[in-house]
Amino acid sequence: MNARKYAYKILLDIEQNQAFSNIAVNKALKGEEISPVDRRLIREIVYGVLENKIYLDFIISKLSKTKMNKMDMKVIIILRIGLYQIIFLDKIPAFAAVSESVNIMKKINPRAAGFVNGILRNYLRNKEKIQIPSLQENLEMHLSIQYSHPLWLVTKWLKEFGQDFTIKLLKANNETPKLSIRVNTLKTTREKLIKTLHAEGVEVDENTNVEECLYLDHVGNIEELKAYQDGLFQIQDESSMLVGLVLDPKDKEVIVDVCAAPGGKTTHIAQIMNNEGKIIARDIYPHKLNLIQQNAKKLGIKIIKVQEFDAQKIDTDLIQKADKVLVDAPCSGLGIIRRKPELKYNKTLDHIQQITKIQLDILKNASQYVKKDGILVYSTCTIEKEENIEVIKKFIESDEQFEIIDVNPYIPKKFRAEEKMLQLYPHIHNTDGFFICKLRKKS
């Protein structure tokens, strides 16, 4: 099977099953004998199509007499793959992109092969004539199509952030982020891991802000690295590592992570605690709890106890039992679009409004587990104010026992700001969009 056929299968899985891109890619490629060059091409096509889907669909709609909603999704995906290669991948000749797309279509639905051939060749003949609305004609529509973000989201951001900020944010969301890992200091040191990775042919960028963070390049299949298999590091974005630093857990403490999956922050907390103390890691999905256990075992962590529990419910046995509690709340995920571009297409304003109620409920429940003088940390991987600062405001209004603690003393200088809470943006901080607030329960 060639790279484009793999890309097609992955994109179809994402469209039909609402699969996360990273999971769909890993599932399709796991155990397959694929060259590093083809692996890179597969990822390039998958993420390139997802990042530019609205733009590609706009072009298809201009070239086809058949309405998009009348087309078979399989045909649409093949057209997106072909157009993406022609428009964005200079290294692939246009005739090869057309030929490969038609060949794949012949195997899936021979009757549609002529249609695919016609649309792609029509683009090559008429590409200069296809124009999106200009900034002057329709600002929102121009940005929506140009950067492939839903119109409602572009309109929302323009209203909240202004034009210059929004354009920079949209651009950053379509850029490929570096692969960020966390050094497992329970098993190795930063310096030793760098040498180990170099020996495995991996390029390492040490220019990070969090001490235990490194960026990797030219990795290939990361799961095949011996350093990964030996648990010398964990994949985690630098912004996510800040949560553990802000929580500031100590040896021997009792920590509760109420929404722990997939466990990156949980294992980081255990690492900071030097594997001494107790962490109760909870989630509602057993398979995600199993993943936390597997990662903990590989990393050599022994203080995490996983429990299946719904954070929207109260556990009376835990009231005032925890030194520190982490609420890494379920959210819209609109801060990690550059890692999971499919997220921008399956969210709505209604979704954001609904999830804020869940976030507040979880925060209120989790706050009851905190001892007097204990710490409660709230975090999300989104940049939406409704899910962040507004949730904190509502919580503080409903519970005067808690006060906001300044996060700045706990984080690297690059991320410090005038506000006590932390809000990161991809185009400003070169990290995922992330929010962190630290609260103390008064004695």
Side-chain angles (χ1 to χ4, degrees):
M1 193 188 301
N2 67 23
R4 295 165 185 83
K5 189 67 182 289
Y6 276 108
Y8 161 78
K9 284 184 65 178
I10 293 165
L11 288 166
L12 186 63
D13 184 23
I14 293 168
E15 288 290 343
Q16 290 185 336
N17 303 313
Q18 283 74 55
F20 287 129
S21 54
N22 60 324
I23 294 173
V25 169
N26 292 338
K27 183 176 72 174
L29 304 188
K30 190 171 185 178
E32 297 288 316
E33 293 185 9
I34 306 169
S35 70
V37 172
D38 277 350
R39 281 182 181 271
R40 284 195 292 272
L41 179 57
I42 292 165
R43 290 177 182 275
E44 170 71 53
I45 292 173
V46 168
Y47 284 100
V49 167
L50 290 173
E51 286 163 3
N52 296 281
K53 192 167 78 170
I54 292 176
Y55 178 69
L56 295 171
D57 286 358
F58 174 81
I59 292 173
I60 294 170
S61 70
K62 292 297 181 183
L63 295 171
S64 173
K65 292 180 182 177
T66 304
K67 298 285 187 182
M68 292 283 292
N69 59 8
K70 300 291 184 183
M71 288 186 201
D72 183 351
M73 180 51 66
K74 296 173 183 177
V75 174
I76 292 174
I77 290 172
I78 295 296
L79 287 172
R80 288 171 181 166
I81 290 173
L83 284 170
Y84 175 74
Q85 293 172 88
I86 293 168
I87 298 168
F88 294 97
L89 298 185
D90 296 336
K91 59 190 175 185
I92 296 178
F95 73 86
V98 174
S99 176
E100 287 288 348
S101 298
V102 172
N103 288 338
I104 295 173
M105 197 73 256
K106 282 179 180 177
K107 294 175 183 176
I108 299 165
N109 181 0
R111 290 183 298 175
F115 177 75
V116 168
N117 184 60
I119 293 293
L120 296 180
R121 292 190 181 280
N122 189 7
Y123 174 76
L124 292 174
R125 290 192 301 270
N126 297 292
K127 58 184 176 183
E128 303 300 330
K129 299 177 184 177
I130 301 173
Q131 301 290 331
I132 69 172
S134 69
L135 277 168
Q136 292 72 30
E137 288 174 320
N138 191 326
L139 173 63
E140 290 90 347
M141 189 65 72
H142 172 88
L143 295 179
S144 174
I145 297 170
Q146 180 70 38
Y147 299 107
S148 285
H149 281 63
L151 185 60
W152 74 266
L153 190 56
V154 171
T155 302
K156 184 177 189 294
W157 286 350
L158 283 170
K159 184 178 179 181
E160 290 181 9
F161 303 127
Q163 182 174 325
D164 184 58
F165 187 104
T166 298
I167 291 173
K168 289 176 181 176
L169 175 59
L170 295 173
K171 285 181 179 178
N173 280 346
N174 284 354
E175 292 172 356
T176 304
K178 293 179 180 179
L179 176 59
S180 172
I181 66 165
R182 187 189 78 238
V183 180
N184 181 11
T185 53
L186 297 175
K187 286 190 172 186
T188 189
T189 64
R190 180 184 172 94
E191 291 71 26
K192 286 180 181 177
L193 180 59
I194 291 169
K195 289 179 182 178
T196 302
L197 290 169
H198 282 161
E200 293 200 62
V202 178
E203 291 184 18
V204 181
D205 181 356
E206 304 175 45
N207 186 28
T208 60
N209 297 283
V210 175
E211 178 63 25
E212 53 264 54
C213 178
L214 294 170
Y215 292 128
L216 306 187
D217 202 2
H218 296 106
V219 178
N221 185 0
I222 198 164
E223 292 183 0
E224 292 179 358
L225 293 177
K226 190 172 185 302
Y228 176 81
Q229 294 169 355
D230 291 345
L232 301 186
F233 69 85
Q234 172 90 356
I235 300 170
Q236 187 179 16
D237 189 70
E238 191 168 19
S239 60
S240 178
M241 297 179 206
L242 296 175
V243 175
L245 301 184
V246 170
L247 187 67
D248 192 31
K250 306 297 183 186
D251 299 5
K252 305 286 198 287
E253 285 186 332
V254 174
I255 311 291
V256 178
D257 187 348
V258 298
C259 304
K265 299 175 190 67
T266 319
T267 53
H268 187 206
I269 292 166
Q271 193 174 302
I272 296 170
M273 294 169 71
N274 297 308
N275 221 3
E276 294 185 22
K278 182 180 180 181
I279 301 173
I280 298 171
R282 292 180 158 182
D283 203 85
I284 57 174
Y285 299 109
H287 70 278
K288 291 186 177 182
L289 292 171
N290 289 336
L291 184 61
I292 296 173
Q293 286 181 309
Q294 290 168 17
N295 284 334
K297 184 177 180 180
K298 184 174 66 176
L299 296 168
I301 294 167
K302 299 176 181 178
I303 63 170
I304 295 174
K305 181 181 180 181
V306 301
Q307 294 178 350
E308 183 181 342
F309 196 86
D310 185 351
Q312 291 189 74
K313 297 178 181 177
I314 283 282
D315 182 357
T316 54
D317 293 336
L318 262 190
I319 291 177
Q320 293 194 45
K321 295 290 177 64
D323 297 292
K324 286 163 186 169
V325 175
L326 171 60
V327 177
D328 185 47
C331 67
S332 65
L334 293 175
I336 57 172
I337 287 173
R338 59 187 197 144
R339 294 191 187 277
K340 296 179 180 177
E342 69 279 3
L343 287 173
K344 59 186 174 180
Y345 306 117
N346 57 25
K347 305 296 179 185
T348 64
L349 196 56
D350 283 344
H351 175 267
I352 292 174
Q353 291 169 347
Q354 289 168 11
I355 205 164
T356 57
K357 298 174 185 176
I358 295 172
Q359 290 162 342
L360 185 57
D361 285 344
I362 292 175
L363 188 57
K364 286 179 177 179
N365 289 346
S367 70
Q368 296 188 48
Y369 307 146
V370 183
K371 295 177 180 177
K372 289 184 178 180
D373 286 320
I375 294 297
L376 175 64
V377 169
Y378 176 82
S379 65
T380 70
C381 56
T382 186
I383 61 172
E384 303 308 306
K385 294 176 182 177
E386 299 96 318
E387 300 179 72
N388 296 332
I389 182 64
E390 295 303 324
V391 169
I392 294 299
K393 284 180 179 177
K394 289 175 183 176
F395 172 70
I396 292 291
E397 288 171 3
S398 69
D399 194 337
E400 295 181 354
Q401 293 183 89
F402 284 85
E403 60 182 352
I404 296 173
I405 302 295
D406 189 357
V407 302
N408 288 295
Y410 302 92
I411 59 177
K413 287 182 180 179
K414 177 187 173 179
F415 302 119
R416 293 175 188 172
E418 293 181 7
E419 295 80 14
K420 289 185 176 182
M421 292 168 274
L422 178 67
Q423 178 67 71
L424 302 178
Y425 297 96
H427 64 295
I428 296 175
H429 303 96
N430 197 26
T431 66
D432 291 343
F434 223 88
F435 176 82
I436 307 174
C437 178
K438 183 168 187 170
L439 302 139
R440 186 181 69 84
K441 189 172 187 179
K442 301 170 187 175
S443 56

